[in-house]
Amino acid sequence: MSQSQLPLLKLEGVKTYYPIKGGILQRVQGYVKAVENVSLEVYEGESIGIVGESGCGKSTLGRTILSLEKATAGKIFFKNQELTSLPDRKLKEFKKEMQMIFQDPYASLNPRQRIGAALEEVFVIHTNMSKKERQERVLQLLKEVGLKEEHYDRYPHEFSGGQRQRIGIARAIALNPSLVICDEAVSALDVSVQAQIIKLLKEIQTKHRLTYMFISHDLGVVRHFCDRVLVMYLGNTMELAPSDILYDNPLHPYTKALLSAIPRPNPGVKRERIRLQGDLPNPANPPQGCPFHTRCPMATARCKQERPEWKEVEPNHYVACHEVG
Ligand code: ADP
Ligand code: MG
């Protein structure tokens, strides 16, 4: 692990709400509380996993860090600089250092533009490189992500899913970022292709000293890729710990339930499947108290009233649960 203990990124009480508009006047009638309360430090050189069911706010959190969504409250520090109060011109400089890899890179590619030209565009927008310099840099990038020179002149539809993700990676690292947010970057790929892309992401991380925020609903993939894992539920942080600890000794009832649903490689080892009761509550109208209490097998009267604190129950292991610690 090449992890130093310097926070590259620091979130303090970050909230991101989406207004719900309705009626003939399109007035704001409420808010989807996509990110409700996230405080977190991400260290230089680490890979931190963000897991939780669909709709728990993982993508919104990533987009908020990149300033693609405006935080409703809280502070975001990147390299000790508070981003939410920066003027646009300065923010643009920082934004180059933070990039995102999406689940479907094809969606953001123009079907009629050759890949070489698409990648060059990054340098047209952000640098003063000459045409020749740009071409050389793109060829170098293609090579770095395991593609070939001849791919330069091909169109997006001529690539396989794995190759398209390599293009997504090339685009993300083009401007030498320090933080890369991978949002379900391997979730749509076949298992064998997934393994190749993960290997590539690791090689690139070592070479460029990247910090990864790895968003995924697939807990199996996250375990092996990430140094630490954060579990989210309805926009809230539930548990955070080094991967081995989180997977071997989860403390939060929600983490336990999530983990119990992963198919195990060794069927000889028994682990009871915990079935959550009820449906995921509506994030526009989240439960009082602990957001998980409506589905928690351990919930008490206190859980219905009082929101649990985010506390460090052992070194580097944080949990928000009244019944733990
Ligand atoms: P995840 O990535 O964990 O699946 P998201 O961050 O995409 O979760 O979504 C969190 C919540 O915010 C969901 O309830 C989702 O429907 C809502 N949401 C996401 N994007 C928007 C948007 N642009 N406008 C309104 N609501 C949104
Ligand atoms: Mg998402």
Side-chain angles (χ1 to χ4, degrees), residues 61-199:
L61 179 65
R63 293 176 55 79
T64 307
I65 293 167
L66 299 190
S67 312
L68 299 170
E69 304 290 347
K70 193 173 161 13
T72 309
K75 288 188 173 149
I76 300 173
F77 298 86
F78 182 76
K79 296 191 166 171
N80 289 323
Q81 173 68 56
E82 214 258 293
L83 296 185
T84 38
S85 62
L86 271 189
D88 282 353
R89 193 176 48 81
K90 279 216 151 164
L91 185 60
K92 210 176 143 197
E93 285 303 304
F94 278 98
K95 280 171 101 169
K96 277 202 266 183
E97 293 215 38
M98 296 184 255
Q99 296 291 330
M100 199 144 172
I101 301 172
F102 300 93
Q103 177 168 359
D104 180 12
Y106 193 60
S108 59
L109 290 167
N110 176 350
R112 282 180 294 276
Q113 188 179 36
R114 295 174 201 266
I115 286 307
L119 287 171
E120 268 185 50
E121 233 169 52
V122 178
F123 301 107
V124 173
I125 296 168
H126 293 283
T127 73
N128 303 320
M129 284 181 176
S130 68
K131 172 82 184 154
K132 186 159 175 290
E133 285 169 333
R134 294 197 300 260
Q135 273 172 344
E136 275 170 13
R137 181 79 177 98
V138 168
L139 289 174
Q140 185 195 347
L141 273 173
L142 288 176
K143 193 171 160 202
E144 200 174 342
V145 298
L147 293 169
K148 300 201 174 75
E149 269 189 25
E150 67 232 42
H151 290 121
Y152 187 95
D153 281 322
R154 299 215 184 133
Y155 290 96
H157 74 264
E158 297 178 80
F159 293 88
S160 68
Q163 286 176 325
R164 283 177 196 157
Q165 202 48 289
R166 290 176 191 269
I167 296 164
I169 294 169
R171 195 160 49 177
I173 63 170
L175 297 170
N176 297 317
S178 35
L179 175 70
V180 176
I181 301 182
C182 307
D183 190 355
E184 306 281 3
V186 300
S187 303
L189 303 172
D190 292 342
V191 175
S192 64
V193 182
Q194 236 178 32
Q196 294 164 10
I197 298 296
I198 284 175
K199 184 163 168 274

Side-chain angles (χ1 to χ4, degrees), residues 204-260:
I204 286 177
Q205 177 173 39
T206 311
K207 193 166 159 203
H208 296 279
R209 289 194 43 85
L210 291 178
T211 303
Y212 283 135
M213 185 176 255
F214 193 85
I215 296 174
S216 180
H217 68 275
D218 183 342
L219 280 85
V221 171
V222 173
R223 171 170 199 164
H224 300 290
F225 190 83
C226 296
D227 304 307
R228 293 191 301 153
V229 179
L230 173 72
V231 180
M232 286 180 69
Y233 183 79
L234 283 177
N236 290 272
T237 54
M238 297 279 119
E239 185 162 6
L240 169 67
S243 303
D244 288 347
I245 293 175
L246 189 101
Y247 283 81
D248 293 337
N249 185 26
L251 296 177
H252 199 289
Y254 179 59
T255 313
K256 288 181 184 173
L258 273 185
L259 290 175
S260 78

